[in-house]
């Protein structure tokens, strides 16, 4: 915000925050969605987050986009239904994704395409019965390195359904190379160690289940 003086009246000039940099073109954008939309189709597009971001609307990656998103050691925060839907290909690196949603079944990413996580911390401390990542039947998820932690709010100790699922895999492909993972999930209804069915998990992956 810049203040100036015009005659005897104070003038306030509001400058829009430019949130995302396209490092291929050096163009800056005021929203994540605008930066994604401006990426060319069917070629890799390099984006970098410039400031912490709290989503005010859902972010969608179209099926024609291939995004390499450097979080720049910053954080994107989602809330309830204001999450990230990937229909194309996206790789998140070097930062944090966090849910501050308080509704049941809040989540951070719904994946229908190719999702790669590398050196990213993904967390949810607030919602009940949430999934950090929901991977649908057309989706592939690759956790190259990072931390997945879902210690969302308790449902009052009833444990009648899954709490704090890290990855809900609904017939897609999930491969975990190197990750630290902590979940509040009860190991039932197809959930084991915070993962719902069918993930490829190396024996040396660190997984902690928290029933607290």
């Amino acid at each position: 915000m810049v203040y100036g003086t015009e005659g005897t009246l104070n003038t306030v000039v509001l400058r829009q925050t430019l949130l995302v940099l396209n490092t291929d073109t050096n163009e800056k954008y005021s929203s994540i969605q605008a930066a994604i939309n401006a990426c060319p189709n069917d070629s890799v597009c390099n984006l970098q987050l410039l400031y912490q971001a709290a989503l005010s609307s859902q972010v969608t990656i179209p099926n024609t986009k291939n995004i390499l998103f450097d979080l720049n050691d910053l954080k994107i925060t989602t809330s309830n239904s204001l999450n990230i839907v990937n229909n194309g290909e996206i790789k998140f690196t070097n930062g944090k994704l966090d849910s501050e949603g308080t509704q049941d079944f809040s989540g951070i990413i719904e994946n229908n395409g190719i999702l790669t996580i590398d050196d990213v911390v993904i967390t949810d401390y607030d919602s009940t019965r949430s999934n950090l990542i929901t991977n649908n039947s057309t989706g592939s998820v690759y956790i190259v390195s990072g931390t997945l932690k879902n210690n969302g709010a308790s449902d009052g100790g009833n444990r009648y359904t899954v709490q704090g699922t890290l990855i809900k895999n609904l017939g897609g492909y999930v491969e975990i190379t190197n990750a630290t993972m902590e979940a509040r999930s009860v190991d039932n209804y197809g959930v084991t160690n915070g993962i719902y069915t069918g993930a490829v998990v190396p024996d040396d992956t660190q997984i902690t289940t928290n029933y607290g």
Side-chain angles (χ1 to χ4, degrees):
M1 184 177 293
V2 178
Y3 292 90
T5 301
E6 184 176 342
T8 59
L9 298 175
N10 287 332
T11 302
V12 179
V13 180
L14 299 179
R15 291 180 178 173
Q16 193 172 39
T17 299
L18 297 176
L19 189 65
V20 181
L21 170 68
N22 183 321
T23 58
D24 299 324
T25 64
N26 210 35
E27 293 290 328
K28 295 178 181 178
Y29 300 88
S30 60
S31 73
I32 295 171
Q33 189 67 67
I36 290 170
N37 292 346
C39 284
N41 294 332
D42 302 317
S43 61
V44 177
C45 181
N46 289 274
L47 302 180
Q48 184 180 71
L49 194 64
L50 299 177
Y51 298 96
Q52 311 274 20
L55 298 188
S56 58
S57 60
Q58 181 175 280
V59 169
T60 301
I61 298 92
N63 61 7
T64 57
K65 305 296 185 181
N66 186 344
I67 309 294
L68 179 57
F69 204 142
D70 176 11
L71 298 176
N72 197 22
D73 204 26
L74 297 168
K75 180 172 69 175
I76 295 174
T77 301
T78 68
S79 179
N80 297 328
S81 61
L82 304 179
N83 55 7
I84 300 165
V85 177
N86 177 42
N87 297 318
E89 184 168 353
I90 189 165
K91 181 177 183 178
F92 288 103
T93 65
N94 184 32
K96 297 180 180 179
L97 300 171
D98 178 55
S99 172
E100 292 185 354
T102 56
Q103 296 178 358
D104 279 9
F105 309 110
S106 295
I108 297 178
I109 302 174
E110 181 175 348
N111 184 53
N112 301 300
I114 300 174
L115 169 67
T116 303
I117 301 296
D118 192 2
D119 191 25
V120 175
V121 177
I122 306 178
T123 54
D124 182 351
Y125 296 103
D126 299 301
S127 58
T128 305
R129 294 174 283 168
S130 66
N131 313 298
L132 297 184
I133 298 170
T134 298
N135 188 45
N136 293 319
S137 60
T138 58
S140 297
V141 174
Y142 299 90
I143 310 295
V144 178
S145 66
T147 298
L148 280 69
K149 190 169 185 177
N150 192 346
N151 284 333
S154 171
D155 64 359
N158 295 319
R159 298 179 184 163
Y160 56 86
T161 188
V162 177
Q163 303 175 51
T165 305
L166 299 172
I167 302 172
K168 185 175 184 179
N169 187 34
L170 300 176
Y173 180 76
V174 177
E175 181 177 307
I176 300 170
T177 303
N178 182 20
T180 298
M181 307 170 71
E182 182 175 334
R184 189 186 286 275
S185 295
V186 177
D187 285 351
N188 58 15
Y189 297 96
V191 174
T192 302
N193 290 326
I195 301 172
Y196 181 88
T197 74
V200 178
V201 184
D203 291 338
D204 59 355
T205 296
Q206 181 182 340
I207 298 177
T208 301
T209 302
N210 174 12
Y211 294 102

